């Protein structure tokens, strides 16, 4: 009995080997028929370049050859379905989509099932078709794996490229190459559903404490920004999170919806600029504002960088000093400088209108009128404690930068 079983097993093995040899001999005809079927049934295939069609032909031929090896000994060639894609270069996944790859596999399998009846003996056809069904499932999983790995690699590369773009903006090196790199990342700089150029603002805050991963945070920030109607580039820089917002003239409204992705502490929004090439101005103010923010513990979150001008000037920000001197002190010196003198007397008197009137020998209503004019001209009201502090610093800086009465030069 044992001898009969052994003889029967040897006979089955020999029959299977013979069937595999016949299938091996038919691979050339199957590969040719596969390319012809793709050209006939897939409209997009004929639109590819000759090089791309050659790559796909190599994959198809590799797949048919791999099927023969797998059919001959499935256990010894269990990894063959995954390896069949090794003949295609990395760019293969950029040439055709996963959906198109599935169409290729389906077309090839259907072609083999329809063709093997003409190439193999009748007894071989059911066995080969059953094996092909099993193999097709493995090929589908292999294709999904290849595209998943390609997506991971692109994601990692995009994250590095995005960090490089944001770093260039922070360091003031935004040029045409930065614009090109941002465009490669899908940056349009425009609000959702709009076209044309847009305004840009840079936002800086502390990085989140939770170990969420740079890519996870960046993806979430971009998604939230798009939902809010803006475009965004995002990068972690050490212990800070930097976001470049595009497509909005009201970045504070957008940042309020993104605040949850920042760590504890201040979030500073730089001034709005016309485009990405000018974003260094916004970035410089935002970074300086984050450095100076501890000087104003009760600052709103988020806070605009221009609201931190006094703290920025005290922390050594020369741009903030010049801005206070030109935009706040400068307008007060127009004419005979009466507005400057009035606000200085008001601040020196501890915020008393009556004391200011007595010191300047004018009516109290005149003081009130002049203080109102100061607020209209500079945007800072002397009667507001926070604005009064800003005016005090601006007066001091203006005097230091322009010591001569009646002259104002920056």
């Amino acid at each position: 009995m044992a001898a009969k079983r052994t003889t029967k097993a040897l006979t089955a093995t020999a029959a299977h080997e013979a069937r595999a040899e016949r299938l091996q001999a038919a691979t050339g005809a199957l590969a040719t028929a596969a390319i012809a079927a793709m050209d006939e049934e897939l409209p997009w295939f004929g639109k590819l370049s000759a090089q791309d069609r050659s790559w796909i032909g190599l994959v198809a031929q590799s797949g048919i050859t791999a099927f023969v090896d797998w059919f001959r000994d499935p256990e010894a060639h269990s990894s063959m379905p995954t390896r069949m894609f090794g003949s295609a270069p990395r760019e293969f996944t950029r040439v055709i989509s996963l959906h198109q790859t599935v169409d290729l596999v389906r077309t090839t399998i259907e072609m083999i099932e329809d063709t093997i009846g003409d190439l193999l003996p009748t007894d071989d056809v059911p066995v080969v078709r059953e094996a092909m069904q099993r193999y097709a499932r493995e090929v589908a999983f292999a294709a999904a794996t290849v595209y998943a790995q390609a997506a991971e690699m692109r994601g990692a590369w995009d994250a590095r490229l995005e960090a490089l773009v944001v770093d260039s903006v922070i360091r003031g090196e935004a040029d045409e190459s930065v614009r090109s790199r941002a465009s490669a990342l899908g940056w349009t700089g425009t609000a959702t559903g709009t076209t044309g150029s847009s305004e840009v603002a840079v936002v800086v805050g502390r990085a989140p404490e939770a170990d969420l991963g740079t890519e996870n945070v960046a993806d979430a920030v971009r998604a939230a920004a798009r939902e809010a109607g803006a475009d965004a580039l995002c990068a972690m820089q050490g212990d800070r999170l930097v976001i470049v917002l595009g497509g909005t003239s009201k970045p504070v409204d957008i940042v309020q919806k993104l605040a949850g992705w920042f760590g504890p502490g201040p979030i500073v929004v730089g001034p709005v600029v016309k485009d990405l090439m000018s974003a260094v101005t916004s970035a410089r103010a935002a970074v300086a504002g984050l450095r100076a923010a501890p000087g104003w513990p009760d600052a709103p979150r988020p806070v605009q960088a221009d609201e931190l001008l006094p703290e920025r000037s005290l922390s050594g920000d020369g741009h903030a000093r010049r801005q206070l001197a030109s935009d706040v002190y400068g307008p007060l010196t127009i004419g005979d400088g009466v507005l400057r003198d009035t606000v200085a007397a008001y601040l020196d008197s501890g915020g008393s209108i009556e004391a200011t009137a007595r010191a300047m020998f004018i009516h109290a209503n005149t003081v009130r009128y002049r203080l109102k004019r100061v607020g209209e001209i500079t945007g800072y009201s002397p009667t507001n404690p926070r604005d009064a502090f800003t005016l005090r610093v601006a007066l001091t800086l203006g005097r230091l930068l322009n010591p001569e009465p009646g002259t104002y030069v920056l």
Side-chain angles (χ1 to χ4, degrees):
M1 292 294 293
K4 289 183 178 181
R5 286 195 297 269
T6 302
T7 301
K8 189 175 181 180
L10 290 174
T11 301
T13 301
H16 183 76
E17 183 63 27
R19 187 176 290 119
E21 289 296 331
R22 290 191 289 272
L23 185 60
Q24 178 75 48
T27 55
L30 290 174
T32 301
I35 298 299
M38 294 175 194
D39 211 1
E40 180 180 352
E41 300 180 19
L42 302 175
W44 55 265
F45 183 76
K47 299 178 182 179
L48 297 176
S49 66
Q51 184 179 32
D52 294 340
R53 287 162 58 91
S54 175
W55 288 344
I56 294 173
L58 287 174
V59 173
Q61 185 173 0
S62 174
I64 294 173
T65 302
F67 169 64
V68 175
D69 293 338
W70 178 86
F71 178 80
R72 191 186 303 274
D73 189 350
E75 294 184 1
H77 299 88
S78 59
S79 64
M80 195 61 73
T82 301
R83 291 166 54 193
M84 66 172 282
F85 290 98
S87 60
R90 184 178 301 172
E91 290 80 1
F92 178 80
T93 57
R94 295 183 180 270
V95 174
I96 61 175
S97 66
L98 177 59
H99 178 74
Q100 291 172 327
T101 301
V102 172
D103 285 343
L104 286 175
V105 173
R106 182 186 298 112
T107 301
T108 302
I109 292 172
E110 290 175 351
M111 178 278 306
I112 292 176
E113 291 179 340
D114 294 340
T115 306
I116 56 176
D118 299 329
L119 301 175
L120 299 176
T122 305
D123 293 342
D124 291 352
V125 174
V127 178
V128 174
R129 281 180 175 170
E130 181 181 354
M132 176 58 70
Q133 294 298 325
R134 293 170 52 199
Y135 185 75
R137 182 183 62 184
E138 299 301 323
V139 170
F141 283 119
T145 299
V146 169
Y147 277 84
Q149 291 173 345
E152 290 177 357
M153 293 179 64
R154 284 197 299 271
W157 171 251
D158 287 351
R160 291 193 291 270
L161 184 59
E162 186 171 12
L164 180 62
V165 171
V166 174
D167 184 62
S168 297
V169 170
I170 292 293
R171 290 189 288 112
E173 298 177 358
D175 52 18
E176 287 299 329
S177 65
V178 171
R179 190 200 299 270
S180 176
R181 290 167 182 165
S183 178
L185 291 167
W187 164 271
T188 62
T190 57
T192 304
T194 66
T195 58
S197 61
S198 70
E199 296 169 312
V200 174
V202 177
V203 185
V204 183
R206 298 303 175 192
E209 291 183 334
D211 187 15
L212 299 176
T214 302
E215 293 184 10
N216 292 335
V217 173
D219 290 343
V221 167
R222 285 193 296 270
R226 284 195 298 270
E227 185 176 350
D231 203 356
L233 295 171
C234 178
M236 294 277 201
Q237 293 187 335
D239 62 346
R240 69 187 183 191
L241 174 62
V242 182
I243 302 175
V244 181
L245 285 179
T248 176
S249 59
K250 298 180 179 180
V252 174
D253 295 342
I254 303 296
V255 176
Q256 286 175 344
K257 301 177 182 179
L258 308 179
W261 292 105
F262 287 88
I267 302 173
V268 183
V269 181
V272 174
V273 293
K274 62 180 181 179
D275 55 27
L276 188 63
M277 305 293 285
S278 307
V280 60
T281 302
S282 182
R284 184 171 54 222
V287 172
L290 185 64
R291 182 175 60 248
W296 186 14
D298 297 328
R301 188 176 189 268
V303 60
Q304 296 186 49
D306 284 353
E307 294 183 86
L308 290 164
L309 284 175
E311 289 77 13
R312 286 168 52 193
S313 65
L314 293 174
S315 67
D317 183 1
H319 295 282
R321 291 176 179 175
R322 287 188 290 274
Q323 187 172 343
L324 281 174
S326 63
D327 296 350
V328 181
Y329 179 80
L332 298 179
T333 63
I334 295 174
D336 55 3
V338 65
L339 294 181
R340 176 197 57 199
D341 297 339
T342 301
V343 73
Y346 176 77
L347 295 175
D348 290 341
S349 67
S352 171
I353 292 179
E354 290 73 16
T356 304
R358 290 193 298 270
M360 299 189 71
F361 302 102
I362 57 178
H363 195 277
N365 286 340
T366 303
V367 174
R368 293 188 180 93
Y369 170 77
R370 291 179 180 177
L371 296 180
K372 182 180 178 181
R373 286 291 297 153
V374 169
E376 293 172 349
I377 292 174
T378 66
Y380 296 96
S381 173
T383 58
N384 178 283
R386 173 67 190 177
D387 289 357
F389 172 61
T390 302
L391 288 167
R392 172 68 79 182
V393 175
L395 287 172
T396 303
L397 291 171
R399 291 163 180 158
L400 290 173
L401 294 174
N402 300 274
E404 295 297 327
T407 63
Y408 179 74
V409 180
L410 281 180

